[in-house]
Amino acid sequence: MFRNPAAPGESSASSHGADPASDIQQILFTEEQITRRVGDLAAAITRDYAGRAPLFVSVLKGAVFFLTDLTRALRLPVEIDFMAITSYGSARAQSGVVRLIKDLDVEITGRDVVLVEDIIDTGLTAGYLLRMLQARSPASLRICTLLDRPYRRILETLDIAYRGFEVPDRFLVGYGLDYRERYRHLPFIGVLKNEILAAEPPRDVAAAGGSV
Ligand code: IMP
Ligand code: MG
């Protein structure tokens, strides 16, 4: 797996070389474990929303991998839509101050809406999004997150209807999660090697105009 030759001019000796998987110190969830758990969540959602046609909304870009796998496992008529936001503050010290840079394309008034997240950490991003969506009077609004890191929660009132896995306080990449926009495409979720985090600390998301 991931034994592609280095791109021309790229050094395979660098930490960002030909094999991104070699930057991972520990795999937390394999592709098979993720598929199984996503299937469990989809089965629960299919049961809970029987007879309805929910709208799944997610934030670019991290949650897109989960959203596409989750919705393909549903046995319901579903629609999907996307938002894009910019968070202020460093990648791991988010302020919860979020600016919407792309809104949903569809109206959600009267709809059954499921907000799909990759990971809920402090909960500030999800809290902001919930308030914004709730103001548009959906018929219902629930959160479905693949990963939950409750130890770092700041917004303690957040109600999570569907959660894939609880995760430890380690910086994770893969299956949509990035470090400086890399590693999103890895099919598993793993802990990034410390030397990579130490070499290039998470950049300031606001300065970079990054997406979550
Ligand atoms: P929250 O507002 O603190 O809950 O931030 C959630 C967002 O932070 C996620 O959507 C991710 O973009 C990012 N994030 C939190 N933890 C990690 C991680 O371990 N790896 C990569 N991104 C993370
Ligand atoms: Mg991110």
Side-chain angles (χ1 to χ4, degrees), residues 22-182:
S22 67
D23 294 347
I24 305 302
Q25 66 170 247
Q26 184 197 348
I27 293 180
L28 272 193
F29 306 110
T30 64
E31 191 173 358
E32 292 72 23
Q33 287 172 316
I34 295 169
T35 302
R36 210 174 313 128
R37 192 72 188 116
V38 171
D40 295 342
L41 294 175
I45 293 171
T46 297
R47 269 196 310 275
D48 293 352
Y49 287 81
R52 292 188 276 170
L55 172 69
F56 288 76
V57 302
S58 88
V59 176
L60 301 170
K61 306 167 207 172
V64 169
F65 296 73
F66 175 42
L67 177 87
T68 56
D69 285 343
L70 179 75
T71 53
R72 278 180 290 184
L74 293 170
R75 298 293 169 259
L76 292 168
V78 303
E79 291 175 35
I80 62 173
D81 202 358
F82 299 98
M83 295 171 280
I85 59 175
T86 299
S87 306
Y88 296 91
S90 74
R92 290 220 69 194
Q94 294 190 344
S95 58
V97 181
V98 168
R99 187 166 62 91
L100 197 64
I101 52 179
K102 184 217 169 294
D103 204 343
L104 297 173
D105 293 332
V106 302
E107 299 285 334
I108 64 164
T109 307
R111 299 291 308 268
D112 292 305
V113 177
V114 180
L115 175 64
V116 177
E117 281 279 11
D118 50 359
I119 180 166
I120 296 184
D121 191 39
T122 63
L124 293 173
T125 309
Y128 169 87
L129 294 171
L130 277 187
R131 278 196 307 279
M132 188 194 73
L133 295 172
Q134 196 67 63
R136 300 177 187 186
S137 305
S140 67
L141 179 59
R142 282 182 169 174
I143 297 181
C144 175
T145 186
L146 180 65
L147 306 179
D148 180 18
R149 191 187 281 125
Y151 324 98
R152 285 177 38 95
R153 192 78 86 248
I154 293 173
L155 187 63
E156 284 168 3
T157 54
L158 206 62
D159 186 14
I160 301 175
Y162 306 98
R163 110 186 50 219
F165 303 103
E166 191 170 302
V167 294
D169 194 9
R170 312 286 299 278
F171 194 83
L172 308 176
V173 294
Y175 198 70
L177 295 171
D178 72 303
Y179 176 62
R180 301 173 68 95
E181 290 301 324
R182 297 183 191 231

